[in-house]
Amino acid sequence: MYKRVDKVYKSFGGKAMQSVEEILKSLELPEEDNKRRKHVLVVDDDVRMLRLIKKYLDNDYDVATAVNGKVALKFLQTKHTDLILLDYEMPIEDGPSVLKKIRKDEKLSKLPVVFLTGVSSKEKIQEVLQLRPQGYLLKPINRQKLLLTIEKNIG
Protein backbone atom coordinates (compact mmCIF):
# COMPACT_ATOMS: atom_id res chain seq x y z
CA MET A 1 0.00 0.00 0.00
CA TYR A 2 2.76 2.48 0.92
CA LYS A 3 4.67 1.68 -2.27
CA ARG A 4 1.52 2.31 -4.27
CA VAL A 5 0.94 5.67 -2.55
CA ASP A 6 4.60 6.58 -3.02
CA LYS A 7 4.31 5.71 -6.72
CA VAL A 8 1.21 7.90 -7.01
CA TYR A 9 2.97 10.73 -5.19
CA LYS A 10 5.92 10.53 -7.60
CA SER A 11 3.60 10.35 -10.61
CA PHE A 12 2.32 13.79 -9.65
CA GLY A 13 5.91 15.10 -9.71
CA GLY A 14 6.14 14.95 -5.93
CA LYS A 15 3.50 17.64 -5.59
CA ALA A 16 0.55 17.32 -3.25
CA MET A 17 -2.62 16.03 -4.93
CA GLN A 18 -5.39 18.54 -5.38
CA SER A 19 -8.49 16.45 -4.65
CA VAL A 20 -9.81 13.38 -2.87
CA GLU A 21 -11.11 12.13 -6.25
CA GLU A 22 -7.57 12.10 -7.65
CA ILE A 23 -6.32 10.15 -4.65
CA LEU A 24 -9.08 7.57 -4.87
CA LYS A 25 -8.73 7.18 -8.62
CA SER A 26 -4.98 6.72 -8.34
CA LEU A 27 -5.42 3.92 -5.80
CA GLU A 28 -7.87 1.90 -7.91
CA LEU A 29 -6.64 -1.50 -8.95
CA PRO A 30 -6.16 -2.23 -12.63
CA GLU A 31 -9.34 -3.66 -14.15
CA GLU A 32 -8.00 -7.20 -14.39
CA ASP A 33 -7.30 -7.21 -10.64
CA ASN A 34 -10.88 -6.12 -9.94
CA LYS A 35 -12.42 -9.05 -11.78
CA ARG A 36 -13.42 -11.94 -9.61
CA ARG A 37 -13.48 -15.45 -10.96
CA LYS A 38 -16.92 -16.76 -11.77
CA HIS A 39 -18.26 -19.42 -9.42
CA VAL A 40 -19.78 -22.76 -10.49
CA LEU A 41 -21.66 -25.13 -8.19
CA VAL A 42 -21.53 -28.76 -9.37
CA VAL A 43 -24.24 -31.04 -7.98
CA ASP A 44 -23.86 -34.79 -8.53
CA ASP A 45 -24.09 -37.88 -6.34
CA ASP A 46 -21.14 -39.50 -8.13
CA VAL A 47 -17.98 -38.34 -6.35
CA ARG A 48 -15.80 -39.37 -9.31
CA MET A 49 -17.88 -37.15 -11.59
CA LEU A 50 -17.56 -34.25 -9.14
CA ARG A 51 -13.77 -34.63 -9.12
CA LEU A 52 -13.58 -34.85 -12.92
CA ILE A 53 -15.72 -31.76 -13.51
CA LYS A 54 -13.84 -29.84 -10.81
CA LYS A 55 -10.59 -30.75 -12.59
CA TYR A 56 -12.04 -29.54 -15.92
CA LEU A 57 -13.08 -26.20 -14.44
CA ASP A 58 -10.47 -25.36 -11.80
CA ASN A 59 -8.23 -23.32 -14.13
CA ASP A 60 -11.00 -20.93 -15.14
CA TYR A 61 -13.61 -20.94 -12.36
CA ASP A 62 -14.02 -21.20 -8.62
CA VAL A 63 -15.81 -24.51 -8.09
CA ALA A 64 -17.89 -25.84 -5.21
CA THR A 65 -19.45 -29.30 -5.13
CA ALA A 66 -22.54 -30.83 -3.56
CA VAL A 67 -23.38 -34.54 -3.38
CA ASN A 68 -27.14 -34.07 -3.66
CA GLY A 69 -29.86 -31.49 -4.22
CA LYS A 70 -30.54 -30.93 -0.54
CA VAL A 71 -26.90 -29.97 0.09
CA ALA A 72 -26.96 -27.70 -2.98
CA LEU A 73 -30.07 -25.86 -1.79
CA LYS A 74 -28.53 -25.37 1.66
CA PHE A 75 -25.36 -24.01 0.01
CA LEU A 76 -27.43 -21.54 -2.04
CA GLN A 77 -29.08 -20.14 1.11
CA THR A 78 -25.81 -18.60 2.25
CA LYS A 79 -23.39 -18.57 -0.69
CA HIS A 80 -23.32 -17.01 -4.15
CA THR A 81 -22.77 -18.92 -7.37
CA ASP A 82 -22.91 -17.82 -11.00
CA LEU A 83 -24.02 -21.14 -12.50
CA ILE A 84 -25.15 -24.60 -11.40
CA LEU A 85 -24.22 -27.85 -13.13
CA LEU A 86 -26.94 -30.21 -11.98
CA ASP A 87 -27.28 -33.99 -12.22
CA TYR A 88 -30.76 -35.28 -13.07
CA GLU A 89 -30.98 -38.42 -10.94
CA MET A 90 -29.77 -38.18 -7.34
CA PRO A 91 -30.91 -39.58 -4.00
CA ILE A 92 -32.66 -37.36 -1.45
CA GLU A 93 -33.53 -34.59 -3.94
CA ASP A 94 -33.26 -35.01 -7.71
CA GLY A 95 -32.26 -32.38 -10.25
CA PRO A 96 -35.73 -31.44 -11.53
CA SER A 97 -37.02 -30.88 -7.99
CA VAL A 98 -33.97 -28.72 -7.18
CA LEU A 99 -34.50 -26.66 -10.33
CA LYS A 100 -38.20 -26.16 -9.47
CA LYS A 101 -37.22 -24.79 -6.06
CA ILE A 102 -34.58 -22.52 -7.60
CA ARG A 103 -37.11 -21.11 -10.09
CA LYS A 104 -39.60 -20.42 -7.27
CA ASP A 105 -37.03 -18.54 -5.17
CA GLU A 106 -37.05 -14.86 -6.12
CA LYS A 107 -33.36 -14.48 -5.22
CA LEU A 108 -32.28 -17.50 -7.31
CA SER A 109 -34.83 -17.61 -10.12
CA LYS A 110 -32.50 -16.09 -12.75
CA LEU A 111 -29.56 -18.36 -11.83
CA PRO A 112 -28.34 -20.31 -14.90
CA VAL A 113 -28.70 -24.09 -14.50
CA VAL A 114 -27.24 -26.68 -16.87
CA PHE A 115 -28.13 -30.34 -16.51
CA LEU A 116 -25.28 -32.86 -16.69
CA THR A 117 -26.78 -36.29 -16.86
CA GLY A 118 -26.89 -39.76 -18.28
CA VAL A 119 -30.68 -39.54 -18.59
CA SER A 120 -31.54 -39.59 -22.29
CA SER A 121 -35.22 -40.57 -22.06
CA LYS A 122 -37.24 -38.29 -24.33
CA GLU A 123 -40.03 -37.91 -21.76
CA LYS A 124 -37.67 -36.95 -18.93
CA ILE A 125 -35.79 -34.50 -21.14
CA GLN A 126 -39.07 -32.84 -22.20
CA GLU A 127 -40.18 -32.66 -18.57
CA VAL A 128 -37.00 -30.89 -17.51
CA LEU A 129 -36.93 -28.57 -20.54
CA GLN A 130 -40.26 -27.15 -19.37
CA LEU A 131 -38.33 -25.79 -16.37
CA ARG A 132 -36.14 -23.80 -18.79
CA PRO A 133 -32.59 -24.87 -17.90
CA GLN A 134 -29.84 -23.08 -19.81
CA GLY A 135 -28.47 -26.37 -21.10
CA TYR A 136 -28.68 -30.15 -21.06
CA LEU A 137 -25.41 -32.08 -21.52
CA LEU A 138 -25.26 -35.86 -21.64
CA LYS A 139 -22.63 -37.89 -19.80
CA PRO A 140 -19.89 -38.78 -20.49
CA ILE A 141 -19.07 -35.09 -20.44
CA ASN A 142 -17.08 -33.60 -23.28
CA ARG A 143 -14.72 -31.07 -21.67
CA GLN A 144 -14.80 -28.60 -24.60
CA LYS A 145 -18.59 -28.71 -24.85
CA LEU A 146 -18.87 -28.18 -21.10
CA LEU A 147 -16.54 -25.17 -21.15
CA LEU A 148 -18.33 -23.65 -24.15
CA THR A 149 -21.71 -24.07 -22.46
CA ILE A 150 -20.47 -22.37 -19.29
CA GLU A 151 -18.78 -19.59 -21.27
CA LYS A 152 -21.99 -18.97 -23.22
CA ASN A 153 -23.97 -18.62 -19.98
CA ILE A 154 -21.66 -16.68 -17.67
CA GLY A 155 -18.55 -15.70 -19.59
Side-chain angles (χ1 to χ4, degrees):
M1 175 72 179
Y2 290 112
K3 288 181 182 178
R4 179 90 171 133
V5 171
D6 189 47
K7 182 180 173 186
V8 170
Y9 181 74
K10 287 178 184 172
S11 72
F12 281 87
K15 297 176 187 166
M17 291 182 214
Q18 295 179 356
S19 71
V20 173
E21 289 81 19
E22 287 176 337
I23 295 170
L24 293 175
K25 185 173 178 151
S26 68
L27 294 175
E28 287 178 6
L29 295 173
E31 191 165 323
E32 68 229 20
D33 291 343
N34 283 332
K35 288 185 181 178
R36 71 168 180 79
R37 283 170 42 123
K38 299 286 184 168
H39 187 275
V40 176
L41 173 61
V42 185
V43 188
D44 199 311
D45 59 317
D46 182 347
V47 177
R48 292 171 301 174
M49 183 59 66
L50 289 174
R51 274 193 230 122
L52 177 67
I53 294 171
K54 186 166 174 42
K55 181 179 168 188
Y56 284 173
L57 303 180
D58 260 348
N59 287 337
D60 302 306
Y61 302 97
D62 288 331
V63 181
T65 59
V67 294
N68 62 51
K70 187 175 183 178
V71 172
L73 291 168
K74 186 143 181 90
F75 175 91
L76 292 169
Q77 289 174 358
T78 59
K79 306 264 190 306
H80 169 79
T81 193
D82 297 298
L83 179 131
I84 299 174
L85 298 174
L86 184 61
D87 188 19
Y88 190 105
E89 292 182 328
M90 295 179 288
I92 304 174
E93 189 136 20
D94 67 3
S97 117
V98 170
L99 183 53
K100 285 175 188 170
K101 289 180 180 179
I102 288 170
R103 293 295 183 244
K104 286 180 183 175
D105 185 317
E106 189 177 309
K107 186 177 84 173
L108 303 173
S109 64
K110 303 275 190 239
L111 186 62
V113 176
V114 174
F115 274 92
L116 296 179
T117 184
V119 174
S120 58
S121 154
K122 186 177 180 178
E123 297 81 32
K124 288 188 176 187
I125 292 172
Q126 286 176 335
E127 173 192 330
V128 101
L129 289 178
Q130 291 176 1
L131 299 172
R132 298 189 324 262
Q134 281 61 44
Y136 194 99
L137 299 174
L138 289 174
K139 294 176 184 176
I141 301 300
N142 173 296
R143 183 177 188 269
Q144 260 330 98
K145 200 172 198 178
L146 174 63
L147 291 171
L148 285 172
T149 301
I150 294 170
E151 178 73 27
K152 180 180 87 174
N153 282 286
I154 62 170

